[in-house]
């Protein structure tokens, strides 16, 4: 026979476990509605909303209006939930301050100014180049039409929770990274994002365009990967879409 305190403790642990599943689902899949979460987790929407309310109160998630591509339909845009910086920290134990200090030291040691920024860029490119070499064999072994998916799988194994989807009204795909272990550092050093986009281009054999980044406050890092025959010399390999 369980005492009331023990039963309450088990119930609290169960609530926390479910709440963690809700947060993890947002991490893995990006901005999500209550209906999305209910379907993925096999819960009622009422139960999901209750957990979301608790996560919002704890500053783990926040609500935003769902971004609409193309013409808006009538009615209020759906509300989606995204992880806050605090929420991401719960899944990421990176030593942000140490990394930021190290990059600042590199910039200063190189002389500061443009020379210092170039030194940070060189470090960022070397870092992602080494990461890319671990991915290259699997990506090159995939059929051309499956290489973006192969890259997403490799990134996910490194904690980026990456997926692919068809790009709206475009001849290509979107590579979506729902988590970025270095997001806080990339806010201060955009060279990390720029180097990553360049490596994606090299691995996939086509120019890519970075549409959004977590480091700039977006819910997901999104990179447009055009079909090979649509690639043009004007497509950028780094930076955000100015639109």
């Amino acid at each position: 026979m369980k005492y009331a305190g023990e039963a309450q403790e088990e119930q609290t642990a169960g609530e926390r476990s479910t709440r963690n599943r809700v947060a993890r689902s947002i991490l893995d899949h990006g901005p999500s509605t209550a209906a999305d979460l209910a379907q993925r987790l096999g819960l009622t929407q009422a139960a999901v909303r209750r957990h979301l309310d608790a996560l919002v109160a704890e500053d783990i998630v926040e609500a935003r209006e769902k971004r609409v591509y193309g013409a808006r339909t009538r009615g209020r845009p759906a509300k989606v939930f995204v992880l806050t910086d605090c929420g991401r920290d719960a899944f990421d134990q990176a030593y942000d301050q140490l990394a930021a200090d190290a990059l600042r030291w590199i910039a200063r040691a190189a002389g500061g100014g443009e020379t210092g920024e170039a030194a940070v860029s060189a470090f960022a490119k070397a870092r992602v180049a080494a990461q890319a070499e671990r991915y290259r064999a699997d990506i090159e072994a995939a059929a051309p039409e499956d290489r973006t998916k192969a890259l997403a799988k490799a990134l996910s194994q490194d904690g980026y929770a990456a997926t692919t989807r068809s790009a709206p009204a475009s001849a290509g795909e979107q590579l979506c990274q729902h988590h970025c272990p270095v997001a806080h550092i990339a806010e201060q050093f955009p060279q990390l994002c720029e180097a990553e986009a360049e490596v994606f281009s090299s691995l996939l054999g086509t120019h890519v365009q970075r549409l959004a980044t977590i480091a700039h406050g977006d819910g997901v890092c999104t990179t447009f990967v055009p079909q090979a025959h649509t690639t043009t010399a004007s497509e950028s390999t780094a930076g955000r879409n100015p639109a």
Side-chain angles (χ1 to χ4, degrees):
M1 180 177 178
K2 293 179 181 177
Y3 293 103
E6 293 175 335
Q8 180 64 37
E9 186 176 338
E10 286 187 7
Q11 182 180 0
T12 301
E15 291 278 305
R16 173 54 61 186
S17 175
T18 303
R19 204 164 295 161
N20 287 342
R21 288 175 59 213
V22 171
R24 181 73 204 193
S25 186
I26 295 172
L27 171 69
D28 289 341
H29 297 274
S32 304
T33 64
D36 293 334
L37 291 161
Q39 183 176 17
R40 286 199 296 261
L41 299 174
L43 301 170
T44 65
Q45 289 192 41
V48 167
R49 289 194 184 95
R50 179 165 53 81
H51 290 299
L52 286 170
D53 287 344
L55 289 168
V56 168
E58 295 173 2
D59 193 32
I60 300 298
V61 306
E62 63 182 2
R64 296 181 182 174
E65 281 193 358
K66 186 175 184 179
R67 184 173 295 178
V68 177
Y69 296 93
R72 281 185 175 272
T73 57
R74 298 182 65 181
R76 176 179 291 182
K79 184 184 293 185
V80 296
F81 294 87
V82 301
L83 288 181
T84 63
D85 286 344
C86 179
R88 292 184 186 282
D89 286 343
F91 292 98
D92 180 20
Q93 299 300 319
Y95 295 97
D96 288 346
Q97 189 58 52
L98 176 62
D101 289 345
L103 289 174
R104 290 192 193 97
W105 185 90
I106 289 172
R108 287 195 303 270
E114 292 184 1
T115 304
E117 290 184 6
V120 173
S121 292
F123 167 82
K125 289 178 181 180
R127 175 183 174 274
V128 267
Q131 182 181 3
E133 286 309 306
R134 294 187 281 108
Y135 302 164
R136 193 174 298 279
D138 288 340
I139 292 170
E140 291 181 350
E145 65 273 17
D146 293 329
R147 286 180 178 171
T148 306
K149 292 183 178 63
L151 176 56
K153 181 178 179 181
L155 288 166
S156 292
Q157 291 172 345
D158 273 352
Y160 289 85
T163 59
T164 62
R165 64 188 180 198
S166 296
S170 299
E173 295 177 279
Q174 287 182 354
L175 173 66
C176 302
Q177 296 159 262
H178 303 286
H179 181 53
C180 176
V182 297
H184 291 168
I185 307 306
E187 290 178 18
Q188 304 169 59
F189 299 96
Q191 295 97 324
L192 296 174
C193 295
E194 293 163 6
E196 184 180 69
E198 290 177 8
V199 164
F200 289 173
S201 178
S202 172
L203 287 170
L204 298 174
T206 184
H207 292 287
V208 303
Q209 184 179 22
R210 186 52 67 72
L211 302 177
T213 62
I214 293 170
H216 283 86
D218 299 297
V220 180
C221 292
T222 307
T223 305
F224 174 63
V225 182
Q227 292 179 356
H229 68 273
T230 64
T231 303
T232 66
S234 62
E235 286 174 316
S236 170
T237 60
R240 286 166 56 86
N241 185 351

